[in-house]
Amino acid sequence: MIVRHAKKNLIGLTLEQVKHELQAAPTVKPYTALQIWQHMYRHGSTSFRTMTNLPTTLRDHLHSHYTLDYGHVQSDQTSVDGTRKWLVGFNDPRAVVESVLIPEPKRHTLCVSSQIGCSLRCSFCHTGTQKLLRNLTAGEIVGQVMLAAHGVRQFEQQGQNSITRKKLLSHMVFMGQGEPLYNPRQVFQAIQVLTDRQGLQWPKQKITVSTSGVVPLIPKISELGVALAISLHATRNSLRDVLVPLNKTFPMETLMDACTQYARDSNGQRITFEYVMLDGVNDSMGEARDLVKLLKQLPAHVNLIPFNPWPGSIYKTSKPEQVERFAETVQNGGIYCTVRRPRGQDILAACGQLRSSEERKRATAAAAAL
Ligand code: SAH
Ligand code: SF4
């Protein structure tokens, strides 16, 4: 019986790991791994056959043992406001995630997922109602970025100056499905690959890891040099315990201490505090003033996110004038405050809506089949 071994994916491995893989390959020179790496990440090659500066025997060896697999695009939708959403499938048929590209005048931000589902069950988040299926691998995280880079034709712009090229995909946030700090090994490895100076060269400050408050891993974010966002959503433990249940494990005092330490370790790098605006729950002027008190010692940026409703959720979105007044109070307290405009709503690409749209379609299809 012939046993076929699955080919190993080189996407998501670090340069060191690629070097290690090449130990058993023929005609390898000290610079071979780097040549392959640059084909992968400078040129976006998806086939070893096109790496024509490598000897044929090596290309054949690579082709029969390895793949360059980003995952496959199951759908690619563009909203009327320009927001683009890819539904990406991986080898395992249950593994489907969404990545969203949000074009703005000064930045084009890619929002990637780190897990399929989430175990943390924040009460306002639709992802939290979908149980955790599994962590994504570093390859599946890097794959989302590579698919988006190809989607915006980044590699075809090699002739352009780097400024033009980088505008196509300038920022990246781990704000899709999942809690990135519950999948730290794969997320950190993906960051290492993305920021490698001989490869994609993502600037570290343009990658933001958003966490619901996994306190013990916050020092690792400053060590990696990437930006930090905290999903705060409340100004006192009693409410945060309900909105973000992880708060019972890591209460706000410990979270604020970790943020203070992050600010020290990263030379005052600004921390984004996300605050979902829930009508009558956390949007009073008293809470706006408490937020100022809580954050005034930190280099903080408050980003207010009007709640994106989903079927069955118990919350309502704060009224626009309430969001405005809240923002004004925070701003008047001396804290930089922005309001996130809902983007891509016609294609269900907004925060907290990811994947749920597809699940809804599946549920509808299943119901129709009965
Ligand atoms: N798990 C991480 C990152 C993914 S969630 C975290 O919680 O930080 C990205 C952001 O979207 C978080 O701030 C989250 O609280 C917010 N969010 C989740 N559901 C939302 C909804 N329905 N409306 C608005 N924001 C939501
Ligand atoms: Fe998970 Fe973040 Fe949603 Fe909370 S807000 S359930 S941590 S994805």
Side-chain angles (χ1 to χ4, degrees):
M1 192 176 74
I2 302 169
V3 180
R4 286 188 198 283
H5 292 285
K7 293 184 188 181
K8 189 165 183 178
N9 191 7
L10 289 189
I11 298 294
L13 299 189
T14 62
L15 178 54
E16 275 314 304
Q17 288 169 331
V18 172
K19 276 186 191 152
H20 183 79
E21 288 298 325
L22 290 181
Q23 279 173 357
T27 61
V28 169
K29 302 267 187 322
Y31 49 81
T32 304
L34 186 58
Q35 282 179 312
I36 297 172
W37 185 255
Q38 297 197 328
H39 278 294
M40 288 163 67
Y41 294 120
R42 289 276 166 93
H43 305 289
S45 306
T46 51
S47 159
F48 298 109
R49 304 266 189 232
T50 60
M51 301 183 181
T52 47
N53 59 349
L54 303 180
T56 319
T57 44
L58 176 59
R59 275 188 267 157
D60 289 344
H61 171 88
L62 293 171
H63 180 75
S64 45
H65 292 83
Y66 298 98
T67 57
L68 298 169
D69 184 9
Y70 301 157
H72 47 276
V73 175
Q74 294 193 352
S75 77
D76 176 354
Q77 290 172 278
T78 303
S79 153
V80 286
D81 66 19
T83 302
R84 191 161 168 191
K85 180 173 85 171
W86 292 275
L87 183 68
V88 183
F90 300 107
N91 283 342
D92 152 12
R94 298 173 316 163
V96 179
V97 294
E98 289 178 342
S99 335
V100 176
L101 180 63
I102 305 150
E104 287 171 309
K106 289 199 179 142
R107 53 166 70 190
H108 284 198
T109 305
L110 181 69
C111 176
V112 296
S113 298
S114 56
Q115 298 183 308
I116 304 176
C118 185
S119 59
L120 288 175
R121 307 200 158 272
C122 298
S123 56
F124 56 89
C125 174
H126 202 180
T127 308
T129 65
Q130 301 155 24
K131 64 176 193 307
L132 175 70
L133 218 54
R134 69 168 172 83
N135 283 336
L136 292 184
T137 62
E140 290 163 339
I141 297 168
V142 173
Q144 292 172 68
V145 180
M146 294 303 284
L147 281 176
H150 278 282
V152 299
R153 302 179 176 278
Q154 182 175 298
F155 296 106
E156 291 168 24
Q157 312 280 330
Q158 296 298 340
Q160 301 278 350
N161 66 39
S162 67
I163 299 182
T164 315
R165 205 159 14 101
K166 281 174 189 156
K167 265 193 193 155
L168 297 168
L169 210 60
S170 63
H171 291 71
M172 187 188 146
V173 292
F174 281 91
M175 289 187 192
Q177 275 180 56
E179 168 51 55
L181 297 188
Y182 266 20
N183 181 17
R185 255 185 91 152
Q186 301 300 320
V187 167
F188 296 161
Q189 182 169 319
I191 291 174
Q192 200 184 329
V193 171
L194 296 168
T195 55
D196 189 292
R197 282 164 181 262
Q198 302 182 92
L200 284 173
Q201 293 179 293
W202 269 79
K204 291 182 171 173
Q205 312 73 30
K206 296 198 171 165
I207 297 179
T208 301
V209 175
S210 173
T211 178
S212 55
V214 184
V215 166
L217 286 172
I218 291 178
K220 188 71 192 170
I221 302 295
S222 51
E223 210 179 288
L224 278 170
V226 293
L228 173 66
I230 302 285
S231 293
L232 191 62
H233 309 314
T235 55
R236 55 184 191 281
N237 281 319
S238 56
L239 178 60
R240 197 164 189 272
D241 282 351
V242 176
L243 299 179
V244 185
L246 185 67
N247 195 66
K248 293 183 208 149
T249 313
F250 304 115
M252 289 182 66
E253 309 72 61
T254 59
L255 182 57
M256 287 303 130
D257 285 349
C259 289
T260 307
Q261 194 55 47
Y262 171 90
R264 270 193 213 123
D265 294 345
S266 60
N267 289 327
Q269 162 121 331
R270 194 175 263 179
I271 303 170
T272 303
F273 289 91
E274 295 155 274
Y275 195 97
V276 64
M277 295 295 287
L278 304 169
D279 185 35
V281 174
N282 65 353
D283 64 350
S284 70
M285 289 311 112
E287 278 155 318
R289 286 188 291 271
D290 288 346
L291 192 57
V292 170
K293 280 187 218 140
L294 193 65
L295 301 181
K296 67 171 185 282
Q297 305 299 343
L298 286 167
H301 164 202
V302 171
N303 194 10
L304 302 179
I305 318 174
F307 171 62
N308 290 308
W310 38 271
S313 91
I314 55 169
Y315 299 108
K316 286 209 273 290
T317 312
S318 302
K319 297 182 183 55
E321 52 282 10
Q322 189 70 6
V323 178
E324 276 317 305
R325 288 202 312 141
F326 195 100
E328 228 174 82
T329 307
V330 175
Q331 192 84 40
N332 289 342
I335 293 180
Y336 176 55
C337 181
T338 50
V339 179
R340 190 181 296 172
R341 260 191 319 132
R343 298 290 305 256
Q345 287 202 312
D346 52 328
I347 56 165
L348 293 162
C351 269
Q353 293 182 328
L354 296 188
R355 174 96 194 282
S356 45
S357 54
E358 294 307 317
E359 294 218 324
R360 225 174 293 150
K361 269 193 224 154
R362 257 178 239 145
T364 315
L370 285 176

